[in-house]
Amino acid sequence: MHVRKPVTAVLGLALVAGAVAGCHVGAASGGTPVNIQFVVDTGPGGGSDVFARELVKMAQQAKLIDDNWPVISKPQGGGLGAMAYMAGRGSKTNVVAAFTSKWVVSGMATGDAPATLDDLTPIAELAEEQQVVAVPSNSPYRTFAEFVADAKRKPGRLVQVGGASSSVDNLVALKYEKDAGTTWKYLSFADGGPRITALLRGDAQMMIGAESDFSEQVAAHQMKIIGVLGSHRSLTYPDVATLTEQGLSADGLPQQLQFRGIAGPPGMSKQAVDYYVGIFAKLVKTPAWAAYMRSEGNATRFITGEALKKQIATFTETMKPLVARLPQGSK
């Protein structure tokens, strides 16, 4: 999906709209934040939207917060719209955003990005989202290695379905295509529903995503998992081998492909950062959070401060060569 230029135009409007909207957000430029808002980069029902709402609900139930944190959707450009909105908040302390590692890639892949994750104030990483490879249940492929081997026999004919061309799943695919000396096509949809539909309809043969993207279809025996990315097997699908175990090198990939965290505007005060860190540090120790992580197939990764900045910097450097492989015009 080639969205770069239209998205940039939209983001310019988003910055202006954000600056105007900021006049009505509320005070909270110092002290304990009040009237807190939660920015996400997906529409209602999208991954970050659900994540933010679950986080607020669990924090309320654990009595870590007293009020509701309204969720604001800025879905333009795979995080670019949300980052631009946050960059326009200045030193506000009562607005936070649920970011993913996708925001790093989107910033790199868009040369004229109005804002990137580096412009914001990282507060905490909360979770690692393990990525898996899924195919229809009637697919002949039992492993991702078998899919790659078939792609070598049929260069340019197999199809992977996924998100934007700059999404992590496409970048991972480009790495394995290069390693194998072959190519396959990439069919892009903005939302998860059409991706699953395309896969089940036979328009594509393979998809890479989070466990929760496929859990319903796997339970209904419509899809199966044929590979796990990362250094360890999935707790949900312990019989499925990692790609490394299938003989496919993980060299050049970051240790955490997809992670979820919280960031504030560029000038958020240390006092405000400490306030949010205090809430999330308690939240990730609750039974409700542990149950949520298990249900999503995710793992808790609570990282703050300089360690979080290093994590983001390391991820950025690792992903640069993969972003450079994107075809011209798709960045």
Side-chain angles (χ1 to χ4, degrees), residues 78-214:
L80 294 177
M83 287 188 284
Y85 180 84
M86 292 296 292
R89 301 303 88 198
S91 60
K92 290 287 186 183
T93 60
N94 63 342
V95 57
V96 294
F99 74 85
T100 68
S101 45
K102 176 180 64 180
W103 289 23
V104 176
V105 175
S106 296
M108 285 193 290
T110 306
D112 53 356
T116 69
L117 190 57
D118 284 341
D119 297 317
L120 308 183
T121 303
I123 296 174
E125 179 186 338
L126 300 180
E128 178 184 2
E129 193 173 71
Q130 190 163 34
Q131 301 292 291
V132 299
V133 185
V135 297
S137 58
N138 61 357
S139 168
Y141 309 123
R142 295 167 298 176
T143 66
F144 183 62
E146 290 184 352
F147 173 88
V148 173
D150 200 29
K152 293 177 70 173
R153 291 188 290 269
K154 307 170 184 173
R157 291 171 56 188
L158 300 184
V159 180
Q160 173 188 356
V161 66
S165 59
S166 59
S167 61
V168 171
D169 53 331
N170 186 35
L171 295 176
V172 168
L174 290 174
K175 172 254 186 311
Y176 284 112
E177 288 176 72
K178 184 176 186 295
D179 288 354
T182 188
T183 61
W184 55 80
K185 297 176 182 175
Y186 188 76
L187 181 61
S188 171
F189 291 100
D191 297 319
R195 298 173 205 163
I196 297 294
T197 300
L199 196 58
L200 295 177
R201 194 169 52 205
D203 297 338
Q205 288 76 46
M206 180 271 290
M207 176 174 164
I208 298 173
E211 288 185 11
S212 56
D213 291 336
F214 313 112

Side-chain angles (χ1 to χ4, degrees), residues 282-307:
K282 294 175 182 174
L283 178 66
V284 299
K285 294 178 181 177
T286 63
W289 175 266
Y292 178 59
M293 289 291 98
R294 285 195 300 271
S295 68
E296 295 294 301
N298 297 342
T300 300
R301 297 284 186 267
F302 188 69
I303 304 173
T304 63
E306 291 302 316

